[in-house]
Amino acid sequence: MIIIPFLLLLSIAPVIANMYGVKPSYRTGAVSFSVVAITSLYLMLEGYTSYHAAGQYIAVGIDPLTSGFLMILATVWALASLYSTEYDQGSISNSLTYNMAMFAMVILLLSRSFPVFLSAWETMTISGYFLIGMRKTVGPIPPYVFLVYGELSTLFIIAMGSAIYLQTGTMIFVHGPYNEVLLFLGIMGFFIKMGVMPFQITEWLPIAHGNATTNGSILFSATMTTAAVYSILRFILLSEPGIFFGSLLMSIGAFSLLFASIYSASSEHVKMLPAYSTIENGGAMLILLGAFVIASDSGYPGIAAFALAGLMVFVLAHSLAKCGLFMFSGIMEKASGSPEIKDYHGGSNSTYYGGGGILNSISLSGMLPLGGGIGEWMLLETLFILSIIGNSPLSLLSTVVGAAAALGGGISIISMTKIFGYGSRGAHEGKRKEGAMRTALLLAGIMVFLAGILSSFYIMAISPVVQEFTGISTAGIISGLLIIPNGFLITSHSSTGLFGVVSPFFVALFIALFSGIMIVVGTRFRKREVSTWNGGIPEGDKLNSFAYANSLRLTMKRLYLTKEEREGKLYSERTFDAFWLTVVFLSRKTVGFSRAMGRAVMNSSLAAYVFYIMVAFFLVMIYVAS
Amino acid sequence: MNPGDQITGSTKIGEKQVVLRGYGNPSWSEIRDGEEKREDYMICNGKYGEISQGSDVFNLAYGPSTGGLEESVRFNIYTYGERILSIAAEPLYKDRRIVMTGTEPVTALLRVERINGAYSPFYSSLFLTALESIGDAGNDPDLGYARILMNEVARIADHLHVIGRLAEGAAQNVAYHQIFALREDLLRIVSARFGHRYFFGVNGYGGLRRKVNLEGITMDIHRISGQFREIWSKLEESRIFVDRIQTTTTVRKPWLIGPAARGAGFRTDSRISSSGLPYGDLGMQISVSESGDSLSRALVRKDEIAESASIIETVEGLIRHVPDAVDFNGRSFEGEYTTRTEAPGGDAVMRIALSGSRMEAFYLRSPSVQNLAAFCAGIGGNVLTDFTFGFESLGIHISETGGYL
């Protein structure tokens, strides 16, 4: 009974602490959300469930799904708050809206009725708007873009809530099944928050996330998108969507993943690059969600459990690593005073900065044995298994989606090596003290590393979440083999038996073992140090970050609409976003159409205007009556 | 004035009156209607390529000492990543000037042979033809045929080298090793028959300085040519090889020479237009390809290997007795002479002037000077990985781009 008020109290503490200053609020946030994360972990392991309703409109509750996500988000918030103690030098408006946004997300996770959910969603959106808008260096467009798309998402959710209310007669979340079209309508609102297709084309997410303060970007990219995934899961849990719905999720996810990874690789903006990576991760999570829905509906609870476990691994890895990557880019931006990667000349003498940066970027590249690598392995395994279950259209879809996911995953290596590589070499960074920003970055890296190598144990820990959806535990996923003890091996099973295995802990162990042997042997007997060889001449110009990704811009010329221009001996290259050009084109057409309609109908003719009002009124009456 | 732009002399090459320019980066241009037509000829002025600027453009230094290049040369590649916007080459990064003025002809011949080992018979023939003309040594047809034979063997060896390097650049390692093994085979044949694998010390004044064994050489050459044809037939089936060199470093300039010119559709060959050696008697065919790219140049070289084998067969049949060389050490020469030949890389022009028993002036416009300029002109717009294909397809020898004092 006291758990929910306890969690709410802890979550609002940083907001209240703002009265005592910016730093106390962040310090309170770091402590209180650490407690929330530990409490949530305990509640998830216990499978704790609680539900409280007040009348027809207000209801809150907690179940393993809530506590599982709250644990992840609270961990990120604790790290982000620790980072902010050094990052934010006294902006009370920033800290207040930042803390409000986190509090709103806690309510969102606990909500069990549409009014509570929408209130939290709106608070989160408006706080986000202020987080961007109150930054002095940002123009009016990014916060406006964030607000417009935030409100659009609210509209979709209101539409879904209204339709469900008409169907069920209550604002409280109750089990469906709901109409799939209605469900999809609401989920479009969550798609907006994730920045995935079809809203990817407007690129609102990179624009907004890339222009926020770093702690704001962490909230948007690492936790608001995760809150959107939670919301989709919550409504899937309430309803019983079918294969069509799952296929749609998978297709949207694959398209989003592939294109976001392509644009991420070519981005030269220190924060937009990670923001595109967020869309890419959002796409991967949608694929796993779709795979889960398909497997559930097709009567494969084992595959569904594996997909859901994979999703939870992905959510954890994405949230932690994205938090870490934004911290890394925030340090870069602060050091160089420029948002362009090419203007930064890194140079990490800081172990925390370099160590944290590499762990987070490796995870986001989808490499084993870090969290992102395990998530990607589970995603691809799920798609492989779905492709051989004997349903031809599904096999085709899984193969195409798998190819897109693998290609996107491969391209993400370019973006991650770019941001880490150019962020960790050169002169700007220099010898710095290991303050709160770098400590939080390293902690995020260590956590994403642990999330990878101990992912088999995490999968066991999230068993109550998986059981909530599929009715089966994750015990079947975890096993042992030969010298690998039970509990250290993640296994995937197709309909015919064991399909694939991986032991992240042992992968890490073998890497450490062989690296250790090489280091010991190499340094003991033969240590050679050579200076950089540049064809026999002193070092001159260096390959900058623009050049690093330019092979992609040129080989995918049709996609990037790369335009190489020359004026005498002056050369330049520009790329255009095909999606953004489409949006601009459509906007112009819409404005043109509106003007034409305005001239035709709203032409200052009173008679025409009255006629229009009457027609509209009758149409509404007919719709309501029907 | 730029050293490359200095007028070195004016002379007749065949029917054309030309102006010779420069020592460091020699070039020549034709005089028509009393005016020098410089626009029709490549004038380096000591500079190869151009510098590019712009947003994100930077200079990627390649060389002077790097694994991808056989000789020491520095390239400044201007790029904003992947795309080569332009290249500025610095072949004189390493000082390659060779002292010729004031030397005795015997010493000069030794140095001429060693300007570029692969072209040794061409340059020694040029030098000796000029010297023999100045010294009125006569014109023995058998000696001319022997020099043609040596030149054509060296041409095959150089073409094998160029195509082998091209195959290596295009990651065709089996073909590369096979072609280089074939070239090595050929050089050993040369070594056994002529006493030196690069023909050093063979060519002499009015004859050959060494006893050579020409009997049955045609069979050896046809074997090499046949084996190369077999390798090439496999190579041209490789889409990887063809795709990489096709449309790469396309260059079409009126001043192109040798395989670069013939690969761009210009039917030009100094072997026919020059009167230095009796090629006119042999009815040789000129191979031409139209595209002007690296593949076209390789195709021309491929055809020329077969054509050279055929020329060797013809001249072996024509040679009756090659005279022995005359000792010209200490002999007095007075006068100047300009001569010209078709080296494997293209047209080579040499002018020598002697006074007493010493060299008064020496001028060599080697084909690599022109081909390096062609490379710089054609590589712009290609991508970084195309560098190797463009450079190797032109068969550039940096060693002969130096100047002469």
Side-chain angles (χ1 to χ4, degrees):
Chain A
M1 177 65 196
I2 59 158
I3 287 294
I4 293 176
F6 174 67
L7 291 173
L8 288 173
L9 205 61
L10 282 170
S11 308
I12 204 162
V15 181
I16 297 164
N18 260 291
M19 292 194 306
Y20 302 98
V22 173
K23 286 211 172 186
S25 79
Y26 287 129
R27 283 183 191 138
T28 309
V31 174
S32 62
F33 284 117
S34 299
V35 178
V36 170
I38 295 164
T39 310
S40 305
L41 174 64
Y42 172 74
L43 295 174
M44 183 179 70
L45 291 172
E46 289 295 307
Y48 180 82
T49 306
S50 170
Y51 177 78
H52 308 280
Q56 284 292 304
Y57 301 104
I58 297 171
V60 289
I62 192 163
D63 60 2
L65 179 66
T66 303
S67 36
F69 271 80
L70 192 55
M71 179 200 72
I72 297 168
L73 297 193
T75 307
V76 172
W77 294 332
L79 290 169
S81 299
L82 174 63
Y83 180 87
S84 304
T85 56
E86 188 190 342
Y87 174 80
D88 192 351
Q89 301 295 327
S91 169
I92 195 89
S93 55
N94 188 56
S95 66
L96 183 65
T97 47
Y98 165 83
N99 287 318
M100 277 301 294
M102 291 190 293
F103 179 60
M105 277 188 266
V106 173
I107 296 175
L108 185 94
L109 296 186
L110 295 170
S111 66
R112 292 295 183 269
S113 69
F114 278 106
V116 179
F117 186 89
L118 281 166
S119 309
W121 191 263
E122 264 307 279
T123 310
M124 187 174 83
T125 302
I126 292 167
S127 303
Y129 167 74
F130 283 112
L131 264 175
I132 307 170
M134 294 182 114
R135 203 177 176 202
K136 285 174 187 165
T137 52
V138 171
I141 292 177
Y144 179 70
V145 165
F146 184 86
L147 190 65
V148 166
Y149 282 93
E151 293 309 317
L152 190 64
S153 73
T154 307
L155 278 177
F156 275 112
I157 298 165
I158 288 173
M160 176 180 71
S162 309
I164 290 175
Y165 176 73
L166 285 174
Q167 192 181 332
T168 60
T170 176
M171 287 283 188
I172 308 284
F173 293 167
V174 289
H175 278 280
Y178 302 141
N179 182 310
E180 275 196 21
V181 177
L182 291 180
L183 188 65
F184 190 75
L185 193 68
I187 282 174
M188 292 278 270
F190 307 129
F191 284 174
I192 294 177
K193 267 294 182 271
M194 296 169 76
V196 295
M197 282 289 168
F199 304 99
Q200 185 176 351
I201 61 168
T202 61
E203 296 196 342
W204 80 269
L205 190 143
I207 293 170
H209 292 203
N211 284 290
T213 54
T214 297
N215 53 2
S217 299
I218 294 170
L219 283 198
F220 299 155
S221 262
T223 61
M224 274 191 198
T225 50
T226 307
V229 174
Y230 163 82
S231 306
I232 298 173
L233 266 175
R234 174 64 61 196
F235 286 101
I236 285 176
L237 186 63
L238 293 173
S239 186
E240 291 169 9
I243 288 182
F244 174 73
F245 185 83
S247 304
L248 214 54
L249 288 181
M250 270 173 63
S251 307
I252 291 170
F255 204 76
S256 305
L257 184 155
L258 181 60
F259 282 92
S261 68
I262 289 169
Y263 283 108
S264 174
S266 71
S267 177
E268 292 300 313
H269 194 284
V270 77
K271 279 186 184 159
M272 283 193 189
L273 184 149
Y276 276 115
S277 165
T278 296
I279 303 174
E280 181 204 333
N281 289 170
M285 291 188 268
L286 277 190
I287 293 172
L288 280 163
L289 267 169
F292 159 72
V293 169
I294 289 171
S296 296
D297 193 55
S298 309
Y300 296 103
I303 301 172
F306 186 80
L308 192 57
L311 175 66
M312 292 302 287
V313 170
F314 220 111
V315 167
L316 176 70
H318 156 71
S319 302
L320 288 171
K322 197 50 58 63
C323 165
L325 192 67
F326 269 108
M327 287 173 178
F328 185 80
S329 61
I331 294 172
M332 280 172 75
E333 192 182 24
K334 215 161 193 178
S336 69
S338 164
E340 297 283 317
I341 296 173
K342 65 186 176 191
D343 292 337
Y344 185 74
H345 303 293
S348 176
N349 291 323
S350 158
T351 313
Y352 288 13
Y353 174 75
I358 198 161
L359 288 170
N360 290 302
S361 48
I362 287 178
S363 177
L364 287 167
S365 304
M367 302 272 192
L368 289 174
L370 279 93
I374 307 301
E376 192 154 320
W377 177 79
M378 293 182 83
L379 181 147
L380 293 174
E381 286 287 294
T382 307
L383 293 171
F384 285 141
I385 293 167
L386 282 180
S387 69
I388 56 164
I389 61 174
N391 179 331
S392 300
L394 189 58
S395 295
L396 183 66
L397 178 71
S398 303
T399 308
V400 172
V401 169
L407 186 59
I411 295 173
S412 72
I413 294 172
I414 299 173
S415 35
M416 290 306 131
T417 50
K418 183 163 88 172
I419 193 163
F420 176 72
Y422 286 96
S424 60
R425 287 272 166 255
H428 268 135
E429 177 61 10
K431 189 78 182 170
R432 302 283 177 116
K433 68 180 176 66
E434 309 284 21
M437 285 163 75
R438 287 163 184 76
T439 307
L441 168 60
L442 181 65
L443 281 175
I446 291 171
M447 283 186 184
V448 83
F449 176 69
L450 292 175
I453 64 165
L454 301 177
S455 52
S456 54
F457 297 99
Y458 173 69
I459 290 169
M460 284 198 273
I462 56 164
S463 192
V465 181
V466 176
Q467 263 181 315
E468 201 177 351
F469 282 86
T470 61
I472 59 171
S473 79
T474 54
I477 298 173
I478 306 304
S479 180
L481 185 71
L482 301 173
I483 60 161
I484 300 171
N486 202 16
F488 284 87
L489 191 73
I490 305 172
T491 62
S492 62
H493 297 265
S494 69
S495 52
T496 54
L498 184 66
F499 189 80
V501 295
V502 71
S503 174
F505 185 84
F506 275 80
V507 169
L509 195 68
F510 277 108
I511 291 173
L513 188 69
F514 288 115
S515 306
I517 291 169
M518 290 307 293
I519 289 166
V520 169
V521 172
T523 52
R524 193 170 172 186
F525 299 110
R526 197 177 178 199
K527 189 178 180 185
R528 290 195 305 172
E529 282 183 9
V530 290
S531 52
T532 310
W533 180 255
N534 187 39
I537 55 173
E539 281 182 71
D541 291 341
K542 291 185 174 70
L543 191 86
N544 59 30
S545 65
F546 182 87
Y548 182 75
N550 211 33
S551 52
L552 266 185
R553 292 190 197 95
L554 294 177
T555 49
M556 296 189 184
K557 218 170 178 172
R558 287 186 182 171
L559 189 66
Y560 287 115
L561 302 177
T562 309
K563 202 169 180 186
E564 295 177 272
E565 290 163 334
R566 179 182 181 180
E567 210 176 300
K569 287 183 180 178
L570 278 178
Y571 289 81
S572 62
E573 185 191 289
R574 289 188 292 161
T575 53
F576 299 88
D577 191 322
F579 296 128
W580 184 248
L581 289 182
T582 310
V583 170
V584 171
F585 172 77
L586 290 175
S587 306
R588 283 185 182 153
K589 286 288 170 200
T590 308
V591 169
F593 177 75
S594 303
R595 281 188 183 148
M597 282 296 288
R599 278 194 291 271
V601 181
M602 307 288 195
N603 53 3
S604 302
S605 159
L606 195 61
Y609 185 65
V610 169
F611 177 73
Y612 167 77
I613 293 286
M614 285 179 70
V615 170
F617 178 74
F618 279 114
L619 285 174
V620 170
M621 290 296 287
I622 290 165
Y623 176 72
V624 171
S626 63
Chain B
M1 185 186 281
N2 193 302
D5 211 27
Q6 287 175 12
I7 295 178
T8 315
S10 172
T11 188
K12 263 182 105 82
I13 297 179
E15 295 302 311
K16 293 174 183 173
Q17 184 69 31
V18 299
V19 172
L20 307 175
R21 285 180 181 274
Y23 292 101
N25 297 279
S27 58
W28 62 276
S29 53
E30 191 183 338
I31 294 177
R32 285 201 305 268
D33 305 326
E35 278 185 36
E36 187 186 359
K37 301 292 178 189
R38 295 182 70 176
E39 69 277 12
D40 290 348
Y41 293 86
M42 190 283 304
I43 307 292
C44 283
N45 294 345
K47 291 178 188 171
Y48 295 86
E50 62 175 49
I51 297 167
S52 301
Q53 295 166 323
S55 170
D56 297 310
V57 175
F58 65 100
N59 173 9
L60 181 72
Y62 191 57
S65 179
T66 183
L69 297 166
E70 284 187 325
E71 293 170 280
S72 177
V73 52
R74 179 176 173 175
F75 288 101
N76 299 300
I77 303 173
Y78 296 93
T79 177
Y80 40 54
E82 196 67 3
R83 176 84 66 217
I84 297 173
L85 303 172
S86 67
I87 275 186
E90 292 180 35
L92 300 183
Y93 189 86
K94 174 181 171 182
D95 191 352
R96 290 194 162 83
R97 285 172 299 178
I98 300 170
V99 177
M100 302 294 272
T101 314
T103 59
E104 291 178 352
V106 173
T107 311
L109 176 61
L110 276 176
R111 292 182 186 180
V112 162
E113 279 183 329
R114 284 156 183 81
I115 289 169
N116 173 11
Y119 289 6
S120 166
F122 298 95
Y123 293 160
S124 61
S125 292
L126 276 180
F127 182 81
L128 289 163
T129 305
L131 199 65
E132 284 156 7
S133 296
I134 293 168
D136 291 326
N139 193 5
D140 188 295
D142 281 340
L143 177 60
Y145 293 139
R147 284 177 179 163
I148 286 177
L149 190 145
M150 290 193 290
N151 284 358
E152 294 312 310
V153 172
R155 189 183 311 281
I156 293 173
D158 193 64
H159 284 354
L160 287 175
H161 179 257
V162 170
I163 294 172
R165 291 281 296 172
L166 204 52
E168 187 195 18
Q172 305 296 299
N173 279 342
V174 174
Y176 155 65
H177 286 292
Q178 285 183 336
I179 292 170
F180 266 64
L182 209 54
R183 176 176 174 266
E184 180 58 28
D185 197 1
L186 178 62
L187 294 179
R188 287 180 186 188
I189 291 168
V190 174
S191 181
R193 288 177 176 273
F194 294 88
H196 192 280
R197 56 199 275 124
Y198 294 122
F199 300 96
F200 286 179
V202 179
N203 240 333
Y205 186 80
L208 298 185
R209 284 191 280 167
R210 201 178 284 152
K211 286 286 174 208
V212 295
N213 174 19
L214 301 180
E215 198 181 324
I217 191 169
T218 302
M219 221 155 61
D220 285 343
I221 299 300
H222 276 311
R223 179 176 59 77
I224 300 283
S225 171
Q227 284 179 8
F228 170 73
R229 200 165 49 242
E230 208 171 308
I231 298 168
W232 178 267
S233 69
K234 299 280 187 300
L235 205 50
E236 68 181 358
E237 282 174 17
S238 163
R239 289 306 308 170
I240 296 170
F241 178 70
V242 173
D243 285 349
R244 285 184 174 186
I245 64 172
Q246 199 167 19
T247 70
T248 300
T249 321
T250 302
V251 53
R252 294 166 179 279
K253 299 280 182 188
W255 44 260
L256 287 177
I257 53 166
R262 294 191 284 278
F266 299 107
R267 192 170 290 276
T268 169
D269 194 313
S270 297
R271 284 177 287 183
I272 289 174
S273 57
S274 152
S275 58
L277 290 170
Y279 275 102
D281 309 345
L282 309 175
M284 60 165 284
Q285 301 294 313
I286 298 177
S287 173
V288 172
S289 188
E290 298 294 329
S291 306
D293 56 7
S294 300
L295 178 63
S296 287
R297 292 188 281 274
L299 286 168
V300 166
R301 281 194 159 87
K302 181 261 297 181
D303 289 345
E304 285 184 3
I305 288 175
E307 185 60 25
S308 291
S310 169
I311 292 171
I312 290 165
E313 185 179 0
T314 309
V315 293
E316 194 203 344
L318 292 172
I319 294 171
R320 290 179 194 84
H321 171 71
V322 184
D324 291 337
V326 178
D327 184 11
F328 63 103
N329 198 10
R331 187 168 169 174
S332 179
F333 292 95
E334 288 289 342
E336 65 170 79
Y337 195 79
T338 304
T339 183
R340 193 176 163 199
T341 193
E342 183 75 13
D347 189 31
V349 178
M350 187 182 286
R351 172 179 172 266
I352 60 170
L354 290 110
S355 178
S357 57
R358 302 274 169 180
M359 294 287 293
E360 191 179 58
F362 178 84
Y363 171 92
L364 173 67
R365 202 294 314 275
S366 66
S368 294
V369 169
Q370 209 101 334
N371 285 329
L372 186 58
F375 171 65
C376 294
I379 193 69
N382 287 258
V383 293
L384 293 172
T385 44
D386 293 335
F387 180 98
T388 310
F389 315 135
F391 185 76
E392 299 299 348
S393 69
L394 284 156
I396 298 163
H397 295 267
I398 297 296
S399 62
E400 61 178 32
T401 58
Y404 308 94
L405 298 174

